[in-house]
Amino acid sequence: MKVTAIGTGYVGLVTGACLAEMGNHVVCLDVNPEKIRILNEGGIPIHEPGLEEVVKRNVAAGRLQFTTDVDMAVQHGTLLFIGVGTPPDEDGSADLQYVVAAARSIGQRMTDYKVIVDKSTVPVGTADKVRAAVKEELVKRGLGDMSFAVVSNPEFLKEGAAVEDFMKPDRVVVGSDDEQATLLMRAIYSPFNRTQDRMLVMDVRSAELTKYAANAMLATRISFMNELALLAEKVGADIDLVRRGIGSDTRIGYQFLYAGTGYGGSCFPKDVKALVRTAADTGIPLKVLTAVEEANERQKRVLVDKVVERFGADLKGRRFAVWGLAFKPNTDDMREAPSLVVIDELTRRGATVAAYDPVSMAEAARVLGPRDDVSLVERAEAALQGADALLIVTEWKEFRTPDFDAIKGTLKAPVVFDGRNLYDPKLMKALGIEYRGIGRG
Ligand code: NAI
């Protein structure tokens, strides 16, 4: 089939590459010429395990191409997947300007039946807005009768495992009220559905809400555990043992029960905000989710609170090693990363920071910019030199069993603030390292 991905970011590039892998002819369009240049020169603009191989194989096979040429891209696909950003507006609602611009650019150029697929995370009612924008452009061209469908197909992939998630989805949600469009969506997703039909076809509004509901539920689990961690500390319990105790209940399950430095990334924070906003606008305030967001804001500061408790509020002259900058492991994405709050709070109090991340160093240099109070170092151990303490912010595998002797021997005094509860407090005590985790009273 012929497919166009509009927006070649984490979602658009993975969607385009994985659909090409199944034999489709895919054009990935982006308005960012730099991104397209990198891809056309054989590079990958993001870190995503396994993506490079899939992209290279399908480019070589002539099934995947990258362009900034909107005319060509719109003409090419029968299915047009919109995967552009939906960042938060000032009031927390999702900013739909990129989605609507993409819809208009389709309406301005299409010459035959198209299925326009909303893959971006968008509030309930967006498919109607997309339909109206396309129609308006068609009418301007005197083509008001031209037929097209708008389908909601929210994406559930996780950064860091995006290719695997796309290839083996738990489910594929399709919101559609157009029979032909539903058939085409069934066809395009059939290779991902071979062992079991994982496609859930529903009305458009339910599909749009499903995506927000999923992220809101996951964020709720995180904030719930983070709040319990605060309590565990006060009452002398260990949240990690509590996690195991409740996760073993199959009704609860083990996933997303880790206390830490708060959720970040490009999805949870903005999606929680957008859903809270939608709910407030409709007069059904989501009290639980409002609390989830408040708890998360507080949680991002918990690690630095512990530093202040140990070293005092004035951190002038102190230096801290920070391990982990990406918002989670296996990605270089630093959007809304807890590390940014940690670095900001430490430096605002006068400290300097030496930071290391296995893959986000280039992204960190771009996001943080050149500054005197933060140095980005090439190796984890190098960050420890002359530091008063180590703060662990992202749970990369390589931090799980580090050289504890080096930590102890290199830090000025052996103090570790572990925002991801990677180590056994008893072991750390035995090693003579002062250890503060999250919720480990
Ligand atoms: P991204 O920021 O990585 O990529 C968006 C791309 O769209 C950018 O390269 C931008 O230049 C391009 N773009 C903007 N307007 C355009 C236009 N009119 N025509 C062509 N290209 C245009 O964003 P990401 O992370 O891929 O997210 C996209 C959407 O998918 C968002 O709504 C997000 O919430 C959702 N999503 C993201 C997931 C993730 O893990 N990143 C997972 C599931 C959903």
Side-chain angles (χ1 to χ4, degrees), residues 194-429:
R194 288 185 70 79
T195 45
Q196 187 189 337
D197 186 6
R198 295 191 169 87
M199 195 157 138
L200 301 171
V201 180
M202 56 181 80
D203 64 276
V204 173
R205 286 178 171 247
S206 300
E208 289 173 334
L209 186 55
T210 296
K211 172 66 194 180
Y212 282 102
N215 278 358
M217 174 65 90
L218 294 171
T220 301
R221 284 171 72 99
I222 295 174
S223 275
F224 178 76
M225 289 308 285
N226 282 336
E227 281 205 313
L228 275 190
L230 296 178
L231 179 63
E233 250 167 49
K234 288 278 177 264
V235 298
D238 182 340
I239 194 67
D240 202 52
L241 299 175
V242 176
R243 173 185 70 79
R244 291 169 205 219
I246 63 171
S248 52
D249 183 329
T250 50
R251 294 170 303 176
I252 296 173
Y254 285 106
Q255 302 225 34
F256 274 81
L257 286 187
Y258 290 91
T261 53
Y263 59 76
S266 70
C267 291
F268 286 8
K270 86 169 167 55
D271 293 350
V272 167
K273 277 193 183 70
L275 189 54
V276 165
R277 188 71 233 169
T278 301
D281 289 348
T282 51
I284 309 284
L286 297 180
K287 292 181 189 163
V288 172
L289 208 53
T290 305
V292 164
E293 198 192 353
E294 282 167 15
N296 196 58
E297 285 309 307
R298 179 179 57 189
Q299 195 66 23
K300 286 191 197 165
R301 286 171 174 77
V302 159
L303 208 56
V304 177
D305 289 348
K306 288 175 190 291
V307 172
V308 167
E309 211 176 275
R310 171 68 170 73
F311 291 101
D314 182 3
L315 298 176
K316 253 186 234 94
R318 301 271 179 198
R319 183 171 181 79
F320 295 97
V322 169
W323 283 4
L325 296 168
F327 86 94
K328 66 173 180 181
N330 298 325
T331 181
D332 59 349
D333 198 343
M334 286 181 61
R335 289 179 282 185
E336 301 270 337
S339 66
L340 294 173
V341 177
V342 167
I343 290 174
D344 207 52
E345 290 280 318
L346 291 174
T347 53
R348 200 171 53 76
R349 292 172 185 279
T352 57
V353 167
Y356 166 78
D357 188 281
V359 305
S360 313
M361 300 310 278
E363 184 61 4
R366 190 186 70 77
V367 172
L368 293 165
R371 45 194 285 187
D372 296 338
D373 49 5
V374 181
S375 47
L376 300 173
V377 297
E378 291 301 320
R379 286 177 53 247
E381 286 77 17
L384 304 171
Q385 291 290 344
D388 290 277
L390 164 64
L391 280 72
I392 297 168
V393 185
T394 316
E395 67 276 33
W396 284 95
K397 276 202 187 103
E398 69 173 69
F399 302 151
R400 285 185 185 267
T401 32
D403 181 346
F404 290 113
D405 291 337
I407 291 177
K408 197 174 164 184
T410 317
L411 289 173
K412 278 192 205 157
V415 188
V416 173
F417 297 91
D418 181 357
R420 298 294 172 180
N421 288 345
L422 298 186
Y423 313 131
D424 178 353
K426 287 199 195 93
L427 172 70
M428 299 302 273
K429 196 169 177 193

Side-chain angles (χ1 to χ4, degrees), residues 6-11 29-32 35 83-86 98 102 120-121 155 157 159 211 266-267 270 335:
I6 302 180
T8 308
Y10 286 87
V11 165
L29 170 74
D30 207 286
V31 288
N32 180 342
K35 217 171 242 192
V84 300
T86 47
Y98 305 106
S120 298
T121 301
E155 181 51 58
L157 64 77
E159 282 177 25
K211 172 66 194 180
S266 70
C267 291
K270 86 169 167 55
R335 289 179 282 185

Side-chain angles (χ1 to χ4, degrees), residues 7-10 13 29-41 43-46 66 68 335:
T8 308
Y10 286 87
L13 180 56
L29 170 74
D30 207 286
V31 288
N32 180 342
E34 179 61 8
K35 217 171 242 192
I36 296 301
R37 183 189 64 76
I38 294 171
L39 285 159
N40 279 331
E41 287 174 4
I44 302 284
I46 53 173
F66 307 102
T68 54
R335 289 179 282 185

